[in-house]
Amino acid sequence: MSKLIKPQGYNALLDSVQTEQGIKLIKEFFQQNLSTELRLRRVTAPLFVLQGLGINDDLNGVERAVTFPIKDLGDKKAEVVHSLAKWKRMKLAEDNIQPGYGIYTDMNAIRADEELDNLHSLYVDQWDWEAVITKEQRTQKSLREIVRRIYGAIRRTEYLACEWYPQLKPFLPEDIHFIHSEELLQQYPDLSAKEREDIITKKYGAVFIIGIGSKLSNGEKHDGRAPDYDDWSTVAEDGKIGLNGDIMIWYPVLGRAIELSSMGIRVDAEALMRQLEIEGKEERKDLYFHRHLLDGKLPFSVGGGIGQSRLCMIMLHKAHIGEIQASIWPNDMREECLKAGMPLI
């Protein structure tokens, strides 16, 4: 409960019926824009995968996946996906998708270890996307161009929501600002990573923080990232480390920065082995996914996830993600939220 933000004087600008209509409007409009911007086609994705293949995303490496035995497979264990970062890359290879094109899908997950607050729920829904690139496009320049395209789709969605519901006023800036996590540390060395995110995002309104997962000059990571999907250890053309990052926006309703997307250029064979060694996970190289990558069977790619409920939350100016999606919340949180004018579904 200590992490629950209760904005003073908060009143939802849309009632429950308008909210449900708005969610449908935003989801349909944004995914069509994303598909057009990045030349993606929709695919059907799994809710769970077999355990032990290295296909599931282990996020920061500490979150436990929800698992269950499969009777007809001799009680082999399946686990609910955390995200589809690695599955998507295998799908690109399976469908022989060419450079410049890609896929997107609706990803639904259960994250039982999530710390529940205004932004975090047990239930996760996002658009997972992945596109094929050439080896020459594994650059920070290419990454920035894709970020600008995604941010453009986000701003068009905000414009639509505000046109549909005039009581909503736009707040996103025209452009997104780029900064490396090391540069951010040098500007604010006495602040924590989350405090640095808040101060830089409040300053610019929308920021892409580059280089998530590698250790900075203070010996700490800006944030954790698994070693086997995003490339966070390659030295980019600007001399800084990392070809990945997070799209952050300043959200005035809660008075804090919000991450809308985690994304990046994916590891090649060299970066995979380097990052597995850095994290002490060398044994993973023999897993199904990792062998395919090391044997050259997977294309170079870039990809990420964009939170569906989070995007709807900010577009509809809600104070709690539970006003957008149905999930399980502690009873005391439900009571506090109700008193604060943000009833949870």
Side-chain angles (χ1 to χ4, degrees):
M1 290 297 296
S2 62
K3 290 190 174 182
L4 182 65
I5 301 173
K6 294 180 285 186
Q8 189 173 4
Y10 171 75
N11 285 299
L13 297 177
L14 305 180
D15 62 27
S16 59
V17 174
Q18 291 173 317
T19 298
E20 293 290 359
Q21 292 171 338
I23 291 170
K24 181 176 183 292
L25 178 77
I26 289 164
K27 287 189 175 184
E28 290 178 349
F29 182 83
F30 178 78
Q31 67 180 327
Q32 187 59 52
N33 269 258
L34 180 70
S35 172
T36 301
E37 279 288 358
L38 301 184
R39 292 193 287 189
L40 311 173
R41 63 175 177 83
R42 190 188 182 283
V43 298
T44 301
L47 175 61
F48 40 80
V49 294
L50 280 175
Q51 196 175 60
L53 297 179
I55 296 175
N56 202 1
D57 173 11
D58 69 348
L59 303 175
N60 295 315
V62 297
E63 294 87 349
R64 299 170 299 170
V66 175
T67 63
F68 60 92
I70 305 172
K71 180 180 177 182
D72 278 1
L73 292 182
D75 279 349
K76 280 186 178 180
K77 290 287 185 68
E79 54 187 29
V80 176
V81 297
H82 274 146
S83 85
L84 298 166
K86 290 177 278 187
W87 178 88
K88 292 177 298 182
R89 197 167 178 184
M90 298 185 69
K91 181 66 173 173
L92 293 177
E94 179 183 327
D95 289 359
N96 193 32
I97 293 178
Q98 298 303 300
Y101 297 88
I103 59 175
Y104 79 95
T105 189
D106 291 289
M107 191 284 295
N108 297 287
I110 302 170
R111 295 184 183 171
D113 289 337
E114 202 72 83
E115 293 185 19
L116 307 181
D117 57 23
N118 299 69
L119 301 176
H120 298 91
S121 170
L122 299 175
Y123 170 60
V124 178
D125 57 342
Q126 64 183 33
W127 290 285
D128 252 325
W129 65 274
E130 198 84 8
V132 178
I133 59 175
T134 64
K135 184 175 182 180
E136 292 71 30
Q137 290 175 308
R138 298 187 75 257
T139 66
Q140 202 175 98
K141 180 181 178 181
S142 297
L143 179 64
R144 290 180 183 227
E145 175 58 29
I146 292 170
V147 170
R148 290 189 183 99
R149 288 178 175 273
I150 294 172
Y151 185 67
I154 292 172
R155 287 197 69 235
R156 285 193 296 276
T157 305
E158 181 189 45
Y159 177 81
L160 175 73
C162 294
E163 282 285 296
W164 202 265
Y165 301 108
Q167 62 269 47
L168 304 177
K169 304 303 178 185
F171 60 87
L172 293 175
E174 182 176 351
D175 298 314
I176 187 167
H177 179 75
F178 292 85
I179 190 168
H180 193 277
S181 54
E182 177 63 35
E183 183 181 352
L184 189 56
L185 171 64
Q186 295 303 319
Q187 288 187 21
Y188 308 103
D190 298 326
L191 300 182
S192 69
K194 295 305 179 186
E195 289 170 336
R196 296 196 293 272
E197 288 178 353
D198 278 343
I199 198 167
I200 196 68
T201 308
K202 186 175 183 179
K203 180 178 180 180
Y204 291 102
V207 178
F208 186 71
I209 300 177
I210 304 168
I212 310 291
S214 60
K215 287 186 177 180
L216 305 177
S217 58
N218 65 352
E220 300 175 358
K221 300 177 181 180
H222 182 84
D223 201 355
R225 200 67 97 238
D228 42 17
Y229 55 101
D230 281 356
D231 186 341
W232 42 256
S233 63
T234 290
V235 178
E237 58 268 28
D238 65 354
K240 296 187 174 70
I241 296 176
L243 294 173
N244 71 339
D246 291 340
I247 296 177
M248 312 283 301
I249 62 100
W250 177 256
Y251 190 43
V253 174
L254 295 180
R256 59 157 293 176
I258 292 183
E259 176 196 318
L260 289 182
S261 177
S262 170
M263 58 174 288
I265 291 172
R266 307 308 198 185
V267 291
D268 57 10
E270 181 182 350
L272 173 65
M273 290 306 299
R274 179 170 60 249
Q275 292 180 182
L276 289 178
E277 182 178 356
I278 291 171
E279 296 297 306
K281 304 286 186 181
E282 293 97 329
E283 73 280 357
R284 290 191 189 180
K285 69 181 186 298
D286 296 319
L287 295 175
Y288 181 80
F289 168 83
H290 302 71
R291 275 268 55 94
H292 273 64
L293 177 54
L294 293 172
D295 289 344
K297 297 179 180 179
L298 302 180
F300 298 110
S301 70
V302 59
I306 302 166
Q308 294 188 16
S309 289
R310 280 199 188 180
L311 185 68
C312 292
M313 176 183 167
I314 69 162
M315 293 297 162
L316 301 179
H317 297 201
K318 298 293 186 177
H320 196 292
I321 200 166
E323 296 178 85
I324 296 294
Q325 56 159 250
S327 186
I328 296 173
W329 308 97
N331 286 334
D332 55 349
M333 180 178 287
R334 282 190 175 276
E335 292 171 3
E336 287 295 312
C337 287
L338 185 61
K339 291 177 184 177
M342 41 188 186
L344 308 184
I345 296 174

